[in-house]
Amino acid sequence: MAALVRRRAEQRALRRAADGQRTEYLAFSLAGEIYAVEIHSIGEILKPPPITEVPRAASSIIGVVSVRGRLVTVIDLRKRFGVKDAPIGHLTRILLVDKGDEKLGLLVDEVLQVYRLTENEIEPANVLGGDQPAHIHGIGRPKEGTGRPDFGSLLVLLDLRPILDG
């Protein structure tokens, strides 16, 4: 029995080495699409507290919220990506990200799960064809047979810098 457990552990270790280093991505939905960002860029996930509108702010700025006494600007990713508006629902979340000198909130429809992708599971953005916006870093394709019920899902991997600077 111990030999079988040891052999399986060795096989898993060999498989991990063959797959390469994994990067963790937090997946969320927005207007029916699945997006993901590197998890290290997310500081916190919040249920939306009351949001105060900011007069004359950019259209993608939905307002500000107070997080432990600090005001955080909240960006509506639906507006930033130019997709149809939707009301804030019970699954809506705010992803807190650090822009260096300030924290910003990104309003998303629903937080889904964490994916651990290898380089082999990530394709460049140009596989979608045509010119892609600067915020699309690539496409993640979790491998089949990983035991996850959602294998085969396409993840639009985002680069947050153009989103936060825009």
Side-chain angles (χ1 to χ4, degrees):
M1 181 70 167
L4 178 62
V5 170
R6 186 177 47 238
R7 190 170 357 136
R8 285 189 177 166
E10 290 170 358
Q11 289 172 342
R12 280 193 301 266
L14 287 173
R15 204 172 339 160
R16 273 190 234 126
D19 285 345
Q21 186 173 357
R22 293 183 179 271
T23 304
E24 292 184 323
Y25 288 89
L26 178 70
F28 59 90
S29 69
L30 190 72
E33 301 290 332
I34 301 175
Y35 295 90
V37 295
E38 287 191 36
I39 199 164
H40 69 79
S41 61
I42 305 297
E44 197 171 339
I45 301 170
L46 303 173
K47 278 183 134 179
I51 299 174
T52 304
E53 290 185 31
V54 178
R56 291 179 274 187
S59 64
S60 62
I61 305 294
I62 194 169
V64 294
V65 296
S66 177
V67 178
R68 288 180 284 286
R70 296 189 68 187
L71 290 181
V72 174
T73 302
V74 179
I75 299 170
D76 186 344
L77 283 185
R78 282 178 167 265
K79 289 181 180 174
R80 183 63 57 98
F81 293 171
V83 297
K84 187 178 175 186
D85 287 348
I88 293 175
H90 71 283
L91 296 176
T92 303
R93 294 292 181 265
I94 295 174
L95 308 178
L96 286 186
V97 297
D98 195 353
K99 189 188 170 189
D101 56 340
E102 67 176 317
K103 290 208 180 292
L104 296 174
L106 304 174
L107 191 70
V108 302
D109 292 350
E110 179 182 3
V111 172
L112 300 174
Q113 71 177 73
V114 173
Y115 287 88
R116 299 181 71 227
L117 302 178
T118 66
E119 290 181 21
N120 296 334
E121 295 171 301
I122 299 172
E123 298 180 36
N126 63 9
V127 298
L128 297 173
D131 291 332
Q132 297 302 317
H135 62 266
I136 296 181
H137 170 69
I139 301 299
R141 296 179 188 258
K143 282 185 181 175
E144 294 181 31
T146 57
R148 294 185 299 234
D150 57 348
F151 69 82
S153 297
L154 289 181
L155 308 172
V156 179
L157 305 179
L158 298 177
D159 179 359
L160 290 179
R161 283 174 290 161
I163 295 169
L164 301 178
D165 292 339

